[in-house]
Amino acid sequence: MTTSITSTTTRAYVRLAKLDIVDYYLGVLVVGTLLPAALRFDGGVLATGGLFLLGEVFVIAAMVALDDLTGFRDGSDVANYAPDDRKRRRYRKPLVAGTLTEDQVLRFAWVTGIIGALLWIAAMITAPHTPLWTVVLIGVTYFFSVQYSWGVKLSYHGFQEFFIAALGWALVLAPYGLAVGSLDGDVVVQALLFGLGPLLFGVYSNTNDIKGDRRVGRPTVAALTSPRGNMRFIFAVTAVEAALIVCGPWLGTVWWFPVALLPTLLLRALQLRIAFGQGDILRARLLGIRIHRVTVVALVVVNLL
């Protein structure tokens, strides 16, 4: 009986940390293949990268735990994960499902947040390079990650979409900076594309969550605008991603970069069609997760070749 309870609680913590959503963690593959060949298997670089990745896991676990706690307290998660909504799985929200208490979630957030901070500090101490911009970027990323839905509640002040993308940018630029100490156009383009990936499934989640977000005053673009305005915003972000891909060779990538990323361009068109042609927002969101992973594979292939 005790073993069963412990197992259930452990699964609840894993779900709380959203460990099955690996999309931000895929940045380590992009960074690893962007590095000069001589650095990819350098002991110091590997140690720094490993510490940064592990810290990233703990920082994001703290961020999403606090997001769940705030969403539960203000009622938005209860509204968005209603029992009669078969498309939204309540067990993914342990507070809504009743598998964890508020105190358990808050303690988990504190512990993971502290461990994440220590690991990122260790990554900077062991790093081959620590340019000031990288140190500042890591510090700012940490602060706003734990303050995303807690404390200053960044996502409750109209910055949610920007943060979702900026987190992805930072998780490529920061570890690359620690390893190399400088940036070039190719690195910046790939970091920007990587960050837009989570945004281009996050905006579809927001579209589905309009009712709950409006009720608690969470100002996402979807909640603040009309359906047409939200659609235009999503089209615009998709167009920015496409422009980065098409213009990549002029910004520092290889000349065949748009060809390698052609699957991303085609799948984005399909995503828009599913969302706004067929009206299936959650299917478009799921496709967005897969598109991000396809993009990461394409970037890795480009970097290796």
Side-chain angles (χ1 to χ4, degrees):
M1 182 69 174
T2 302
T3 302
S4 176
I5 293 173
T6 301
S7 177
T8 299
T9 303
T10 300
R11 286 197 299 270
Y13 279 120
V14 170
R15 289 165 181 159
L16 178 67
K18 309 294 186 289
L19 293 181
D20 59 323
I21 303 299
V22 301
D23 300 278
Y24 278 124
Y25 309 137
L26 296 177
V28 69
L29 298 177
V30 178
V31 173
T33 55
L34 271 170
L35 293 173
L39 293 179
R40 289 175 187 168
F41 298 102
D42 178 85
V45 170
L46 288 174
T48 298
L51 287 168
F52 187 88
L53 175 61
L54 194 56
E56 180 182 330
V57 172
F58 280 93
V59 171
I60 291 178
M63 178 184 76
V64 296
L66 291 172
D67 186 58
D68 274 15
L69 181 58
T70 300
F72 178 74
R73 286 179 173 177
D74 67 21
S76 59
D77 277 355
V78 175
N80 293 331
Y81 288 79
D84 58 348
D85 189 346
R86 296 180 180 179
K87 293 183 179 181
R88 303 303 294 269
R89 295 170 291 180
R90 287 168 64 87
Y91 69 83
R92 290 187 55 78
K93 295 286 186 176
L95 284 168
V96 177
T99 52
L100 290 177
T101 67
E102 291 186 36
D103 286 343
Q104 287 175 311
V105 170
L106 187 57
R107 282 196 298 270
F108 176 83
W110 270 102
V111 171
T112 53
I114 291 171
I115 294 174
L118 293 175
L119 286 166
W120 274 0
I121 291 170
M124 288 186 282
I125 291 172
T126 61
H129 303 276
T130 50
L132 180 60
W133 67 265
T134 305
V135 175
V136 171
L137 179 61
I138 292 172
V140 169
T141 301
Y142 179 82
F143 176 80
F144 284 113
S145 293
V146 296
Q147 298 289 309
Y148 175 68
S149 296
W150 190 261
V152 300
K153 294 186 178 180
L154 186 70
S155 65
Y156 284 72
H157 296 284
F159 294 97
Q160 190 203 62
E161 290 83 5
F162 176 77
F163 176 81
I164 290 173
L167 180 59
W169 302 336
L171 295 178
V172 171
L173 296 176
Y176 186 89
L178 291 176
V180 178
S182 61
L183 301 174
D184 59 30
D186 188 24
V187 175
V188 172
V189 168
Q190 294 199 33
L192 291 175
L193 287 174
F194 182 81
L196 288 175
L199 177 59
L200 280 168
F201 58 79
V203 289
Y204 291 96
S205 290
N206 289 346
T207 301
N208 187 76
D209 295 344
I210 289 174
K211 182 178 178 181
D213 288 339
R214 281 179 175 168
R215 190 166 75 177
V216 301
R218 194 170 195 174
T220 65
V221 171
L224 290 172
T225 63
S226 65
R228 180 173 293 275
N230 182 53
M231 180 183 70
R232 287 174 176 169
F233 173 72
I234 294 175
F235 267 82
V237 176
T238 305
V240 168
E241 181 189 58
L244 279 170
I245 292 171
V246 172
C247 297
W250 287 272
L251 299 172
T253 68
V254 294
W255 66 266
W256 45 275
F257 191 76
V259 177
L261 273 293
L262 184 60
T264 296
L265 295 173
L266 296 176
L267 288 169
R268 287 297 182 206
L270 176 61
Q271 185 183 29
L272 291 171
R273 181 173 177 271
I274 290 171
F276 302 108
Q278 300 176 5
D280 195 338
I281 295 296
L282 288 180
R283 185 177 161 214
R285 176 191 179 276
L286 179 60
L287 179 59
I289 295 173
R290 293 169 178 169
I291 294 171
H292 177 64
R293 296 172 184 179
V294 167
T295 301
V296 169
V297 170
L299 293 176
V300 168
V301 170
V302 167
N303 295 335
L304 291 177
L305 295 180

